[in-house]
């Protein structure tokens, strides 16, 4: 299993072994800075392994850039999957990185980031520098450089458009940053890519197609089932292995098309405002849990399963049961939407929840052009008119409208930089929100890896089939969210092995 590391905790020998063996599992966990060349690489870089005396290990690309190193143009360390640490840890640095990826600094500067996290700017800078080797501005700058490099090498956008899309304040700042980080001009970076890959870039025409890498293995069947089963007509579309939906973004909206391919997710984005590119990509990665460390998670769960009467990861000559490796915990694309859709789905089937949500989208969602006709309604619209559109028990309708009011007034804040304890407390304070809903939303909104939905009927049935005592799950920590996914999938795939259970509220919504 790959452990997370901070600037003060990097173990030289462990890091050097990973570099010497080109272990791709460590890509995104740290970077290798080579003093003799002034270059930093991902651990799996195919270049000759540098001498021990010439290397320094740093936790982030921003830290390497702060020390004057430039990115390797062979292994592209900025293109590695992100560190699982940002999702699996609940510390300040990890929560800050999630918000930086969502573009908070580009939209409101360091004050907005500090305010969202509840810290002073000075405290925040001190913690990030200690843990990640760079302050918030440097981390945001590294994020902008990655976005710029991606657009330079994969699109025909003009350099001025790329600078704007990546979040730079001026063309000069864009040019200076690219030269500092990659040691060449933006034009040279594009020409190098064309020589290496051929001049095959498609015309943009408002549509960007990107390859979003993930750590293998990935349980494709689980993610595709999850996407297909919860598709809401008018808001989402699942067709021929492609998931399409509309999404409200900080500066407008976008339509995204996602398909899972070997080693990457193919993402086509039709953006209304190019400034929304980086936040949209970050949300997609969070939505599909692309930055997880599946090998480490599977190893930990396998070892923990060994004490169960039925060992689900045992395979062999006929007796064992095998659960597929690489399962992911789906995140979310929008916090308020996640909560309101979950509340709509309480006590009814998944299909009925989709129907009720589609009615809400049709009645209150903003109409937009394109293959997906609506955006999910704003919290303000639901707070004002939800009772006119929603049907079902009056108490449930009142609870949904009440939650929308709390969101619209700012009494309830839903973003990925919150702590699990604070978020769960605020959710439970809402009328109509019980422990299951609070835990489910916390798990998906924060990518919390250690939430066990022990009261869920399908999870309980899966645990019964596999001989797992849900009252004794400490040994599965901190990966109980992934255990929940395994139990859900196993129970749904083996309906004949236990009592019939209709997929009501206690299934993934």
């Amino acid at each position: 299993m790959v452990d997370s590391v901070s600037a003060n905790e990097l173990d030289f020998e462990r890091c050097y072994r990973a570099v010497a063996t080109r272990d791709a599992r460590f890509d995104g966990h740290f970077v290798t800075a080579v003093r003799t060349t002034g270059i930093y690489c991902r651990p799996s870089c195919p270049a000759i392994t540098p001498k021990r005396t010439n290397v320094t290990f740093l936790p982030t690309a921003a830290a390497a850039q702060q020390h004057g190193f430039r990115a390797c143009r062979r292994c592209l360390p900025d293109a590695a999957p992100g560190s699982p640490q940002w999702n699996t840890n609940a510390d300040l640095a990890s929560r800050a990185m999630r918000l930086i990826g969502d573009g908070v600094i580009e939209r409101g500067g360091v004050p907005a980031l500090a305010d969202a996290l509840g810290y002073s700017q000075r405290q925040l800078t001190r913690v990030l520098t200690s843990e990640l080797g760079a302050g918030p501005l440097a981390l945001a700058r590294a994020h902008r450089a990655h976005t710029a490099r991606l657009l330079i090498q994969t699109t025909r956008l003009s350099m001025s458009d790329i600078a704007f899309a990546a979040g730079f304040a001026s063309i000069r700042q864009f040019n200076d940053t690219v030269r500092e980080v990659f040691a060449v001009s933006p034009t040279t970076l594009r020409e190098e890519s064309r020589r290496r890959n051929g001049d095959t870039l498609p015309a943009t025409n408002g549509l960007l197609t990107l390859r979003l890498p993930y750590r293998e293995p990935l349980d494709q069947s689980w993610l595709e089932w999850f996407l297909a089963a919860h598709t809401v007509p008018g808001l989402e579309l699942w067709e021929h292995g492609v998931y399409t939906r509309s999404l409200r973004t900080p500066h407008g909206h976008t339509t995204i098309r996602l398909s899972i391919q070997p080693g990457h997710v193919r993402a086509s984005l039709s953006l209304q405002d190019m400034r929304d590119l980086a936040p949209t990509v970050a949300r997609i990665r969070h939505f599909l849990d692309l930055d997880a460390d599946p090998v480490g998670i599977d190893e930990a769960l396998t070892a923990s399963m060994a004490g169960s009467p039925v060992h689900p990861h045992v395979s062999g000559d006929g007796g064992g049961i095998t659960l597929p490796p690489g399962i992911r915990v789906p995140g979310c694309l929008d916090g308020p939407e996640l909560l309101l859709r979950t509340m709509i789905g309480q006590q009814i089937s998944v299909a009925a929840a989709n129907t009720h949500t589609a009615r809400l989208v049709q009645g209150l969602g903003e109409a937009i052009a394109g293959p997906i006709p609506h955006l999910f309604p704003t919290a303000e619209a639901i707070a004002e008119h939800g009772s006119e559109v929603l049907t079902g028990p009056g108490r449930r309708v009142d609870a949904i409208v009440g939650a929308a009011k709390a969101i619209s007034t700012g009494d309830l804040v839903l973003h990925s930089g919150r702590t699990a304890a604070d978020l769960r407390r605020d959710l439970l304070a809402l009328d109509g929100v019980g422990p299951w809903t609070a835990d489910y939303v916390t798990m998906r909104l924060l990518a919390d890896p250690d939430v066990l939905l022990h009261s869920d009927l399908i999870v309980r049935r899966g645990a019964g089939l596999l001989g797992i005592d849900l009252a004794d799950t400490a040994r599965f920590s901190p990966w109980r969210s992934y255990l929940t996914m395994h139990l859900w999938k196993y129970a749904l795939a083996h309906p004949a092995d236990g009592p019939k259970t209709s997929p009501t509220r206690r299934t993934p919504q």
Side-chain angles (χ1 to χ4, degrees):
M1 178 179 168
V2 180
D3 298 320
S4 61
V5 289
S6 74
N8 299 320
E9 295 174 345
L10 287 170
D11 181 277
F12 186 93
E13 287 302 320
R14 183 163 61 92
C15 292
Y16 193 80
R17 284 197 300 272
V19 171
T21 57
R22 297 176 174 79
D23 193 335
R25 293 179 304 159
F26 287 84
D27 288 354
H29 286 267
F30 65 87
V31 296
T32 306
V34 185
R35 290 187 291 272
T36 51
T37 63
I39 292 174
Y40 71 91
C41 304
R42 63 169 77 189
S44 66
C45 182
I48 296 173
T49 303
K51 295 180 179 178
R52 291 172 177 265
T53 54
N54 295 335
V55 300
T56 298
F57 299 111
L58 297 167
T60 62
Q65 294 167 22
Q66 284 279 89
H67 285 77
F69 294 94
R70 62 185 186 273
C72 174
R73 301 203 297 278
R74 183 175 182 181
C75 71
L76 300 175
D78 62 316
S83 173
Q85 179 176 332
W86 314 146
N87 285 344
T88 58
N89 287 4
D91 57 22
L92 175 61
S94 299
R95 292 187 288 119
M97 285 300 292
R98 294 200 288 266
L99 292 180
I100 289 172
D102 197 51
V104 168
I105 288 182
E106 275 69 30
R107 296 192 293 274
V110 177
L113 177 65
D115 183 63
L117 294 167
Y119 282 76
S120 71
Q121 295 180 56
R122 184 176 180 180
Q123 286 176 302
L124 178 62
T125 300
R126 183 173 66 249
V127 170
L128 294 185
T129 301
S130 173
E131 292 294 316
L132 306 179
L137 286 176
L139 291 163
R141 178 177 179 267
H143 192 68
R144 288 194 294 271
H146 162 62
T147 303
R149 196 270 310 160
L150 185 69
L151 292 174
I152 289 168
Q153 295 187 329
T154 62
T155 76
R156 294 182 185 274
L157 288 172
S158 68
M159 295 303 174
S160 59
D161 285 343
I162 290 174
F164 177 69
F168 290 96
S170 66
I171 298 295
R172 179 176 179 178
Q173 185 188 65
F174 162 70
N175 287 328
D176 289 347
T177 298
V178 171
R179 286 192 180 96
E180 289 176 21
V181 173
F182 300 104
V184 294
S185 69
T187 301
T188 301
L189 199 60
R190 175 168 281 178
E191 290 173 349
E192 286 181 348
S193 178
R194 286 179 177 176
R195 286 197 298 269
R196 184 167 57 247
N197 302 316
D199 190 10
T200 59
L201 297 179
T204 304
N205 296 327
L207 182 69
L208 296 177
T209 300
L210 307 174
R211 293 162 57 102
L212 307 182
Y214 57 78
R215 291 181 177 84
E216 297 188 83
L218 180 142
D219 187 345
Q220 183 172 342
S221 64
W222 170 246
L223 274 182
E224 290 186 340
W225 174 85
F226 197 97
L227 295 174
H230 300 91
T231 296
V232 171
L235 178 69
E236 302 162 300
L237 177 67
W238 175 263
E239 192 173 42
H240 307 303
V242 178
Y243 173 75
T244 306
R245 71 155 290 164
S246 57
L247 174 66
R248 188 172 283 103
T249 51
H251 300 98
H253 66 264
T254 183
T255 297
I256 61 174
R257 298 172 180 83
L258 309 175
S259 62
I260 301 172
Q261 308 292 330
H264 71 276
V265 169
R266 187 177 189 271
S268 296
L269 315 177
S270 180
L271 295 159
Q272 192 178 43
D273 190 314
M274 287 300 296
R275 289 176 294 177
D276 291 330
L277 172 64
T280 301
V281 169
R283 292 178 189 185
I284 292 170
R285 298 196 66 85
H286 168 72
F287 179 49
L288 300 179
D289 197 16
L290 299 185
D291 293 322
D293 173 19
V295 173
I297 294 168
D298 289 344
E299 288 177 352
L301 289 179
T302 297
S304 300
M305 290 282 192
S308 301
V310 180
H311 182 191
H313 287 271
V314 172
S315 60
D317 34 7
I321 302 170
T322 301
L323 291 182
I327 204 163
R328 297 304 206 264
V329 177
C332 75
L333 293 166
D334 181 83
E337 178 187 324
L338 171 65
L339 172 60
L340 296 170
R341 285 180 63 170
T342 302
M343 294 180 72
I344 290 171
Q346 292 179 146
Q347 305 297 344
I348 59 177
S349 69
V350 173
N354 293 341
T355 299
H356 282 270
T357 305
R359 187 180 299 120
L360 181 70
V361 169
Q362 175 70 30
L364 300 180
E366 178 185 344
I368 58 173
I372 303 298
H374 293 97
L375 296 169
F376 190 81
T378 62
E380 291 77 7
I382 297 174
E384 186 173 356
H385 300 291
S387 58
E388 303 166 15
V389 178
L390 292 166
T391 59
R395 189 172 180 180
R396 186 178 68 192
V397 171
D398 290 344
I400 295 167
V401 172
K405 287 180 179 177
I407 295 168
S408 64
T409 59
D411 292 337
L412 176 62
V413 178
L414 298 172
H415 62 61
S416 60
R418 302 206 61 190
T419 66
D422 288 347
L423 176 61
R424 191 175 188 276
R425 179 201 63 217
D426 289 352
L427 290 171
L428 288 173
L430 296 172
D431 289 337
V433 172
W436 185 94
T437 299
D439 287 341
Y440 180 74
V441 171
T442 298
M443 177 178 68
R444 293 191 59 191
L445 177 62
L446 304 186
D448 190 320
D450 201 28
V451 176
L452 179 68
L453 299 181
H454 55 82
S455 65
D456 185 283
L457 297 180
I458 301 299
V459 169
R460 294 174 70 85
R461 188 161 66 83
L465 293 173
L466 296 175
I468 296 172
D469 181 3
L470 293 181
D472 179 26
T473 61
R475 67 184 184 277
F476 296 105
S477 184
W479 307 117
R480 285 178 284 194
S481 296
Y482 293 87
L483 174 64
T484 295
M485 297 298 116
H486 274 302
L487 298 179
W488 258 336
K489 181 175 182 179
Y490 193 82
L492 293 171
H494 297 82
D497 294 345
K500 297 290 185 180
T501 306
S502 61
T504 59
R505 169 183 180 264
R506 306 298 193 184
T507 59
Q509 295 293 342

